[in-house]
Amino acid sequence: MVTKTLSPVYDPKQVEGKWYQFWLERGYFRATVDETRRPYAIMMPLPNVTGSLHMGHALNNTLQDLLTRFRRMQGFNALWQPGTDHAGIATQNVVERELAKEGLTREMLGREKFLERVWQWKAKYGDLIYTQLKRLGCSCDWDRATFTLDPGYYDAVLEAFIRLYEKGYIYRGKYMVNWCPRCLTSISDLEVEFQEVESTLYYVRYPGADGGEGIVIATQRPETIPADVAVAVHPEDDRYRHLIGTFVIVPVGGRRVPVIADRRVDRDFGSGALKITPGHDPLDYEIGQDHGLEILVTIDERGRLNDVAGKYAGMDRFQAREVIARDLQAGGFIVRAEPYRTSVGHCDRCHTVIEPYLSEQWFCRMKELAEPAIRVVKEGKVRFIPERWTKVYLDWMENIRDWCISRQLWWGHRIPIWYCPCGETIASKTEPEGCPRCGSRELRQEEDVLDTWFSSALWPFATLGWPRETPDLRYFYPTNVLITGRDIIFLWVARMIMMGLEFMGDVPFSHVYINPTVLNLEGKRMSKSLGTGLDPLDYIEIYGTDALRFALVLRCSQAQQDLRFGEKMIEDTRNFANKIWNAARFVHMNLDGFDPSIIDPARLSLSLPDRWILSRYARTVDAVTTALEGYEFNEAARVLYDFIWGEYCDWYVEMAKADLSTERRATVQYVLWYVLSNTMKLLHPIMPFLTEEVWQNLPHDGESIMVSSWPQRESEHIDEQAEAEMSLLMDLIREVRSIRADTRVPPNAEVEVVVHAPASLHGMLTEGERYIALLTRAKQVTVGRPEGKKPQKAASAVVGPLEVFVPLGDVMDLEVALARLREDLREVELDLSTVEAKLSNPEFLEKAPAEVVEKERIRREELRARRSALESRLRSLQSN
């Protein structure tokens, strides 16, 4: 696919779709069992079927694709397993909102008809995220795409439930759960989002049953007072010790309740006396159980007060709070009320305030499952990267609570439990023919579905065919690495490890890389709808996929758990892509008559720049490979950026221009081609489209860069002498350019360059004369000894063992040059004094963001260096 010419400008829109379709058609993403090759597998963190691509997805999936492409090029049989999650609550909410527009509810439709509507919605919108991931360049094995309600996966979920149930790990019980009155289901602790809110703390008197003063309690929730069954105090609280064993009157409803002693009461909160409402608070429930107290429930599943509340029945809980507080005030029961800031749990799906709710639920015992999952992490069989997340994982696992796995939804995996009127409970994937105890056929299936995270926990092996012993399962399990965010370490990562050990007897993956959370520059989540940034597809439309990918990877550091990101970063990367394209165009235009197959690299006569760029390339191969193997993604990107832009494009390509019209043309062609072609392979995992387009337009073997071999480490090319000599030569050229800029030599004016150097460097400098002349616009380069005569009217500089002179008398007025230097120096000193004043201001150091302070410190060092250079330049000219 080599074209005759490359377009002047790189246009991602003309490239990306073309190459993605090319890869798909040739089946490069597919991974099938091949015992002759080493497997490498990554399981995609399941996006919700309701989801669309956000910046977190963009980073997470770019990293997965990067590793998959890298390992595929290394020769691994790389599988990246895609899929989507049915997302029980989220999906049901979306469809219920659609029904509401039609004046319908799910209850009006009934379970079967409602599920039909959800499947219709899924068929229409469910694969949107796949289309977006393809736009991102993801090289998943799309033939394996799995939905968690697919028949095979559904069977695996039911199988796992039944096995755990038969081992006694799954049980049903009445417990206090987090209840969402909007979604009408329980949700796990991990699905509760806590938000700081302004509330009121009411101090309410409960009169003594004997006519005494009674006791004052403090509460934020007057609406639960109708369900109070006791008042508890700490047994060592001298204020209330005399009241223990007495009775007080609940000021709403007038019931007589005991004052009890319990060490769990916090003496320092409020009045130190705690009203006990076992039906509406987890701690109260525990205290009530231990003291044998009655359980009253006054708030129903929809967040409304019931008959227990008497005249307040039917009110919404928040309305009741206000009304009851007002009535208590009117009755003289409120001693005082004060503002109180507190943290309140909200449903992470619909953001409704969560209600602690006592209900029958299904639970999974976690202690037995957690113990081996703790052990494998401590033994290093599963390694977290960065390491700091290991402690977070272990702290949670060592204090794990039983998991409420039932949800009061219709969309999801219906719990495979059947009830008989005789009281028998049967676990079965399909409806039993009859009750094994009494033979009755009047069986009723459990209405609840399983928590979405229960099915997700099986992802690494259920996608490979479990519970069947398939070739895929034997070959690809355990997988290699999981890349995910810190927010689902407990919801998903920990549970996958537990389930993998339980059902497969082995860990599901050996490495867990926790990627940073992408935020905008102000530290807010990037979202078009929130007005805090564009969505990834918008950026892709403007700058191209590769620019977005590289910008994200370049800033993905293990040292940071948040990635501050802005559009300017993508602009910079787009410029990097353009730099590569321009270099590729130059190389392409200068490969006429070039055929690498007939060249023997060992017989080439290499110049200093040739040896240098091959040495730097060899080090780049080593550095990039090491970085990717160690999940140092930003380091791999940085090394490539510095090498391609700062060494290959800025120096080697420019120096090659001096040799392409000489007898050295064939050698320079080879080095230009060899380094660019192979560097595109190193860059391909991060920027797949641009690299394919460049590679295809260079001489190459094979169909695609994507299935070409990863460059090998080439220690024989490392040439420390060439690197040292070239470094000196580049410093010399930079200094001459700096002299020209500082003294404002006209851009088109040709200057003379005189270099005084030790004899040992004359050979290198003589070879480098043509490069110095080309890159400094010098009409003549003269190399002499240190004791040689210094040119008159020359600006000079010391470069290591060299002294370089640029005579200016013939190209400009020296007095004018001196005046300009003095003017520049004054401006620099003024800027420097401003920056130093800022950095000596304690208020600025204390209040300014850390990155702003650091920016000023860098600016200070730059200005100091600039001042030093200008002073040196002035001294050299004034000494003439």
Side-chain angles (χ1 to χ4, degrees):
M1 286 196 174
V2 178
T3 59
K4 291 183 179 179
T5 59
L6 296 183
S7 63
V9 178
Y10 177 65
D11 183 359
K13 293 178 183 177
Q14 299 299 316
V15 169
E16 294 175 357
K18 171 184 71 175
W19 288 122
Y20 198 86
Q21 190 61 32
F22 176 83
W23 297 329
L24 275 177
E25 288 173 356
R26 280 158 178 74
Y28 293 154
F29 302 165
R30 292 195 200 107
T32 56
V33 174
D34 182 349
E35 298 294 349
T36 66
R37 299 171 64 198
R38 294 172 296 171
Y40 184 85
I42 296 180
M43 294 286 163
M44 176 185 288
L46 297 84
N48 287 349
V49 70
T50 58
S52 61
L53 198 68
H54 57 62
M55 290 303 286
H57 286 133
L59 172 64
N60 178 264
N61 286 284
T62 293
L63 297 180
Q64 293 176 79
D65 189 51
L66 184 164
L67 283 179
T68 303
R69 289 176 182 271
F70 167 55
R71 294 301 191 183
R72 189 184 286 125
M73 293 175 75
Q74 283 191 317
F76 286 88
N77 189 8
L79 164 65
W80 183 13
Q81 170 69 52
T84 50
D85 189 89
H86 65 281
I89 296 176
T91 307
Q92 186 158 313
N93 279 344
V94 167
V95 177
E96 287 195 68
R97 283 196 293 269
E98 292 295 315
L99 288 175
K101 294 175 185 176
E102 303 171 31
L104 298 172
T105 66
R106 61 173 166 136
E107 289 82 7
M108 291 167 69
L109 288 182
R111 187 169 194 142
E112 286 189 19
K113 291 291 185 184
F114 175 75
L115 290 178
E116 285 178 14
R117 287 292 296 264
V118 184
W119 279 108
Q120 289 169 11
W121 181 92
K122 192 266 180 188
K124 188 173 182 180
Y125 300 107
D127 290 338
L128 173 64
I129 192 76
Y130 286 162
T131 303
Q132 295 174 331
L133 289 171
K134 290 174 183 177
R135 187 81 190 275
L136 191 63
C138 295
S139 60
C140 309
D141 186 344
W142 296 111
D143 293 340
R144 293 175 176 265
T146 301
F147 181 52
T148 49
L149 290 179
D150 285 346
Y153 202 96
Y154 201 115
D155 178 74
V157 174
L158 301 189
E159 179 73 22
F161 178 94
I162 291 171
R163 290 191 190 187
L164 292 171
Y165 178 80
E166 290 175 347
K167 286 187 73 170
Y169 288 170
I170 288 179
Y171 63 94
R172 186 165 173 79
K174 197 165 190 176
Y175 286 91
M176 185 72 63
V177 296
N178 303 301
W179 183 265
C180 176
R182 160 64 184 79
C183 299
L184 294 179
T185 184
S186 61
I187 64 173
S188 74
D189 293 346
L190 298 172
E191 294 167 302
V192 177
E193 289 182 346
F194 285 92
Q195 300 173 16
E196 291 287 318
V197 299
E198 298 297 335
S199 182
T200 302
L201 191 62
Y202 298 95
Y203 288 77
V204 184
R205 183 176 300 283
Y206 285 43
D210 59 0
E213 287 191 355
I215 196 166
V216 174
I217 61 92
T219 183
Q220 303 169 63
R221 305 198 64 197
E223 70 274 18
T224 64
I225 289 177
D228 288 352
V229 295
V231 172
V233 298
H234 196 281
E236 296 173 5
D237 192 333
D238 291 336
R239 295 172 296 176
Y240 305 122
R241 189 176 293 172
H242 66 288
L243 293 175
I244 296 171
T246 66
F247 289 83
V248 293
I249 302 299
V250 177
V252 177
R255 282 179 299 101
R256 182 173 177 269
V257 299
V259 178
I260 61 175
D262 195 287
R263 292 186 177 277
R264 285 165 285 194
V265 175
D266 181 356
R267 287 178 282 184
D268 298 324
F269 175 77
S271 66
L274 178 69
K275 76 184 195 69
I276 302 300
T277 320
H280 295 287
D281 183 90
L283 176 61
D284 293 6
Y285 178 77
E286 290 179 12
I287 292 173
Q289 290 291 99
D290 291 346
H291 289 267
L293 298 173
E294 178 186 10
I295 297 175
L296 296 178
V297 174
T298 190
I299 298 175
D300 69 14
E301 62 182 9
R302 295 183 181 273
R304 295 188 296 251
L305 271 66
N306 60 21
D307 291 344
V308 172
K311 67 178 183 178
Y312 305 107
M315 288 185 184
D316 172 78
R317 54 187 167 153
F318 298 114
Q319 178 194 9
R321 179 180 299 177
E322 295 179 8
V323 174
I324 291 174
R326 188 166 62 243
D327 289 352
L328 288 171
Q329 184 74 51
F333 293 105
I334 293 184
V335 176
R336 71 177 189 275
E338 58 189 35
Y340 185 71
R341 188 167 180 79
T342 186
S343 183
V344 174
H346 293 70
C347 173
D348 71 347
R349 295 297 177 192
C350 69
H351 309 295
T352 300
V353 173
I354 290 301
E355 191 65 42
Y357 193 68
L358 197 63
S359 68
E360 288 276 351
Q361 299 288 342
W362 287 93
F363 291 84
C364 183
R365 274 184 20 218
M366 301 306 291
K367 187 173 183 296
E368 294 87 347
L369 293 170
E371 286 174 353
I374 291 170
R375 188 165 56 250
V376 293
V377 171
K378 287 184 174 179
E379 292 173 353
K381 293 178 181 176
V382 176
R383 180 181 160 225
F384 279 85
I385 304 156
E387 173 63 27
R388 61 179 175 272
W389 296 110
T390 302
K391 183 177 186 302
V392 174
Y393 168 89
L394 291 174
D395 285 349
W396 185 75
M397 291 290 282
E398 287 166 353
N399 296 282
I400 198 167
R401 295 167 53 185
D402 284 359
W403 175 14
C404 177
I405 58 171
S406 51
R407 297 291 181 269
Q408 289 64 54
L409 304 170
W410 288 351
W411 176 248
H413 301 91
R414 194 169 179 180
I415 293 176
I417 290 291
W418 305 80
Y419 303 106
C420 179
C422 75
E424 184 72 1
T425 299
I426 308 139
S428 174
K429 293 181 186 178
T430 57
E431 183 173 3
E433 292 184 2
C435 173
R437 181 198 292 178
C438 71
S440 171
R441 294 179 179 272
E442 300 297 318
L443 303 178
R444 175 181 59 86
Q445 188 178 358
E446 170 63 62
E447 293 287 327
D448 290 354
V449 300
L450 288 164
D451 178 11
T452 293
W453 295 104
F454 185 93
S455 53
S456 301
L458 314 179
W459 186 245
F461 50 90
T463 49
L464 298 174
W466 186 90
R468 293 175 295 115
E469 184 67 26
T470 64
D472 279 345
L473 190 61
R474 287 192 298 270
Y475 182 70
F476 285 112
Y477 190 94
T479 67
N480 295 79
V481 61
L482 176 77
I483 299 182
T484 190
R486 65 179 182 264
D487 53 330
I488 53 176
I489 291 176
F490 312 133
L491 282 167
W492 193 44
V493 179
R495 289 164 177 171
M496 280 193 289
I497 295 173
M498 288 187 274
M499 294 303 179
L501 290 167
E502 172 67 20
F503 294 118
M504 294 296 298
D506 201 352
V507 296
F509 30 70
S510 54
H511 294 85
V512 179
Y513 178 85
I514 304 297
N515 60 252
T517 300
V518 183
L519 306 173
N520 69 5
L521 296 177
E522 288 74 45
K524 297 177 181 177
R525 182 171 68 86
M526 295 191 79
S527 166
K528 183 161 63 175
S529 62
L530 295 176
T532 53
L534 296 179
D535 292 335
L537 293 178
D538 296 316
Y539 287 123
I540 287 172
E541 191 66 26
I542 299 168
Y543 300 104
T545 298
D546 288 330
L548 174 64
R549 286 172 60 123
F550 192 91
L552 286 166
V553 173
L554 186 59
R555 289 157 184 86
C556 182
S557 167
Q558 290 187 25
Q560 298 173 323
Q561 61 185 35
D562 290 329
L563 190 161
R564 298 288 181 98
F565 196 72
E567 187 169 357
K568 176 66 165 59
M569 298 171 183
I570 314 177
E571 289 179 19
D572 292 344
T573 305
R574 191 257 314 272
N575 295 339
F576 177 52
N578 290 337
K579 186 77 170 180
I580 294 170
W581 185 250
N582 289 335
R585 288 186 70 238
F586 172 81
V587 174
H588 187 271
M589 287 188 296
N590 284 282
L591 290 184
D592 288 348
F594 172 70
D595 182 357
S597 67
I598 63 174
I599 293 177
D600 179 1
R603 299 175 65 87
L604 294 175
S605 178
L606 301 176
S607 67
L608 172 61
D610 296 335
R611 290 186 289 118
W612 169 75
I613 198 65
L614 288 169
S615 182
R616 297 302 303 154
Y617 162 74
R619 291 191 192 275
T620 300
V621 172
D622 187 65
V624 172
T625 305
T626 300
L628 293 182
E629 288 174 342
Y631 305 100
E632 297 282 359
F633 302 112
N634 64 314
E635 177 65 9
R638 184 198 63 77
V639 168
L640 284 164
Y641 184 94
D642 290 348
F643 174 71
I644 294 170
W645 191 315
E647 294 179 332
Y648 183 79
C649 293
D650 280 358
W651 289 101
Y652 186 73
V653 167
E654 294 304 313
M655 289 182 169
K657 294 173 183 177
D659 290 337
L660 280 167
S661 58
T662 71
E663 71 282 353
R664 299 199 64 259
R665 178 177 175 82
T667 297
V668 174
Q669 284 180 319
Y670 177 83
V671 176
L672 280 169
W673 164 79
Y674 179 82
V675 175
L676 179 60
S677 179
N678 283 289
T679 303
M680 289 302 95
K681 293 182 181 181
L682 297 176
L683 183 60
H684 176 75
I686 309 176
M687 302 180 81
F689 297 110
L690 171 65
T691 53
E692 183 75 88
E693 182 73 5
V694 170
W695 188 85
Q696 291 283 358
N697 283 285
L698 296 172
H700 61 270
D701 291 324
E703 287 186 341
S704 169
I705 193 173
M706 185 182 154
V707 290
S708 64
S709 297
W710 184 256
Q712 298 299 304
R713 290 176 165 97
E714 299 176 349
S715 56
E716 70 276 8
H717 275 153
I718 294 177
D719 188 332
E720 293 185 1
Q721 180 181 348
E723 291 188 19
E725 291 179 352
M726 188 67 179
S727 178
L728 188 60
L729 184 62
M730 291 189 298
D731 285 345
L732 187 154
I733 292 169
R734 288 190 192 99
E735 201 58 51
V736 174
R737 286 172 166 175
S738 180
I739 288 172
R740 289 187 63 123
D742 291 344
T743 56
R744 302 188 195 179
V745 172
N748 293 330
E750 291 188 328
V751 297
E752 182 184 352
V753 175
V754 178
V755 184
H756 287 179
S760 60
L761 295 175
H762 280 209
M764 178 271 288
L765 291 168
T766 300
E767 180 186 358
E769 284 179 6
R770 62 185 183 277
Y771 308 123
I772 298 170
L774 177 67
L775 299 181
T776 66
R777 197 165 179 76
K779 59 187 176 184
Q780 182 179 343
V781 178
T782 305
V783 178
R785 293 182 178 276
E787 61 272 15
K789 185 178 179 181
K790 296 182 179 180
Q792 293 297 305
K793 299 181 180 180
S796 65
V798 174
V799 183
L802 312 176
E803 190 169 13
V804 60
F805 302 88
V806 180
L808 298 175
D810 294 339
V811 293
M812 64 186 306
D813 186 324
L814 280 188
E815 289 305 318
V816 173
L818 285 167
R820 288 171 175 170
L821 285 169
R822 293 187 188 104
E823 180 186 340
D824 289 348
L825 182 58
R826 279 194 300 272
E827 289 179 1
V828 168
E829 287 178 333
L830 183 62
D831 290 347
L832 183 58
S833 64
T834 301
V835 172
E836 287 181 332
K838 267 189 187 179
L839 291 172
S840 62
N841 182 347
E843 188 175 355
F844 171 75
L845 296 176
E846 182 181 338
K847 293 184 177 179
E851 58 269 23
V852 172
V853 174
E854 182 60 24
K855 190 175 180 180
E856 290 298 318
R857 286 180 175 142
I858 292 170
R859 173 89 174 127
R860 178 178 62 187
E861 295 312 308
E862 289 172 346
L863 288 168
R864 286 174 175 174
R866 177 78 177 131
R867 179 180 64 182
S868 177
L870 289 171
E871 288 172 342
S872 173
R873 207 76 71 229
L874 271 170
R875 283 194 301 271
S876 70
L877 277 177
Q878 287 170 341
S879 66
N880 282 279

